[in-house]
Amino acid sequence: MDPVRNPFAPGAGTPPPELSGRWELIEQARVALDRLKLGRPVKSLIAVGLRGVGKTVLLNEFRLMAEARGYYCLSLEAHEDKRLPALLIPALRRLLLDLDRLGALSEQAKRALRIFKSFMSGLRLKYGEAELTLDVDPETGVADSGDLEADLPDLFTAIGRAAADRQRHVVILIDELQYLKEAEMSALIMSVHRMAQLGLPILMFGAGLPQVVGLMGRSKSYAERLFDFPRVGALKDTDSIDAIRKPIQAEGEEIEPDALNEILGWTQGYPFFLQEWGYQAWNTTARSPITQADVAKATEKALTRLDQGFFKVRFERLTPRERDYVRAMAALPGTGSYRSGEIAQALGVTPQSIAPIRNNLIAKGMIYAPAHGDTAFTVPLFEQYLRRVRPD
Ligand SMILES: Nc1ncnc2c1ncn2[C@@H]1O[C@H](COP(=O)(O)OP(=O)(O)O)[C@@H](O)[C@H]1O
Ligand SMILES: [Mg+2]
């Protein structure tokens, strides 16, 4: 079949041809956006799920909905080695300058700019001249203590008041939230809390790996009341079938039921894998309809590409001792969740002595704790990869 017309879109954050099975979540975000515009209380949303389930795609979808409603949108992505202020400052600076320029003089917008300047001096961030050049005097004594948990809520309050004064609504979208440090998460939660209490027009949509829930709970126990944590997981069979069949049919082609079943078996409904299998199945098939035999050929290609890409890059980011740990996990029977004690036992060490390695793997976003004393991979089908390829 013509590869030019291949509709499938394997890739990080790439919009799928059919956004399957996420209707409820999209509706939840829409309601939050519309409620905030009416000045009603809203909960911020944090989409939680494994790698490749479509969290980034959802955040992008939320952004489009927000833009269509006239929201000012800030999209950020946390990184392991970038701190929250460094992430926020360029985006907030742009927002503040825009709010300031938006119309006649606004004392709230000017004040927010001054507080922003105090915030930066408080953190004594090493920024390029361009970033620091702000033609205002700092508002001494506000948001400049250098303690992020005290300063960030002050800064957000000022920004929220400026936005309210301009009658603008703002949504901050933050991806990969699991990479924030506890104090950063805490500062962010306190900021959202303050804005909710004051009824300011700023909303947050986030996404992260499952460890984000624990991180938030440890940072601030009231986080649960402020945020909803919708789970984003593998798609149900009917939604997986839609994800594959609809794009094929939209191109005037067909796929046989056996072929669909074969794809469901390999992908287990994980969106990234569905895109990969759909993509390969399309390209390996000479002429529509796509049959089970076509999918069998596509499977070889899909596995090779995943083993040399998606899975391999994650394995290669691990240190030798971390590799031993994940290999020990994969050597245990079963899939999904493993007892941490059994992993330690398999390595011939005590759980306490291996805890630092396990913590590093959690911080790197490789594993998480689905329940106390349990350990699972954040990458679906990762143990199958380790068993199949036995990388060293
Ligand atoms: N609901 C969906 N239906 C079908 N494919 C999807 C869906 N959501 C995401 N995808 C596909 O899955 C892949 C991974 O999406 P992404 O948003 O990067 O996942 P995550 O951010 O959770 O790691 C992309 O190729 C995307 O096109
Ligand atoms: Mg993502």
Side-chain angles (χ1 to χ4, degrees), residues 9-14 16 18-20 22 52-57 271-272 275:
T14 331
E18 172 72 24
L19 185 56
S20 214
R22 303 297 189 217
V53 293
K55 301 180 298 298
T56 302
V57 159
F272 177 67
Q275 295 303 319

Side-chain angles (χ1 to χ4, degrees), residues 137-155:
D137 294 321
E139 182 99 357
T140 313
V142 184
D144 61 0
S145 73
D147 171 9
L148 194 64
E149 291 175 74
D151 293 350
L152 199 63
D154 283 349
L155 175 61

Side-chain angles (χ1 to χ4, degrees), residues 282-299:
W282 178 285
N283 281 359
T284 45
T285 302
R287 188 175 305 123
S288 178
I290 298 170
T291 65
Q292 191 175 17
D294 293 322
V295 173
K297 272 185 281 166
T299 294

Side-chain angles (χ1 to χ4, degrees), residues 110-136:
K110 288 281 179 236
R111 180 161 190 274
L113 273 170
R114 293 197 300 273
I115 291 178
F116 180 63
K117 191 149 186 174
S118 316
F119 176 77
M120 289 196 298
S121 68
L123 292 167
R124 274 179 225 90
L125 279 173
K126 294 180 204 78
Y127 268 91
E129 281 301 306
E131 294 293 4
L132 278 169
T133 312
L134 262 188
D135 197 14
V136 291

Side-chain angles (χ1 to χ4, degrees), residues 9 47 56 61 69 72 175 178 216 255 296 298 313 327 339 341 356:
T56 302
E61 196 64 25
R69 286 163 175 73
Y72 192 104
D175 205 352
Q178 73 281 354
M216 293 192 86
I255 178 162
V313 295
R327 275 191 294 248
R339 297 295 299 166

Side-chain angles (χ1 to χ4, degrees), residues 12-13 50-57 59 77 175-176 207-209:
L50 304 182
R51 294 245 180 242
V53 293
K55 301 180 298 298
T56 302
V57 159
L59 281 184
E77 183 184 330
D175 205 352
E176 307 282 0
L209 295 174

Side-chain angles (χ1 to χ4, degrees), residues 56 96 113 147 188 275 307 311 317 343 358 362:
T56 302
L96 281 166
L113 273 170
D147 171 9
L188 205 58
Q275 295 303 319
D307 290 350
F311 292 129
R317 291 178 59 231
I343 303 167
R358 183 171 179 273
I362 293 175

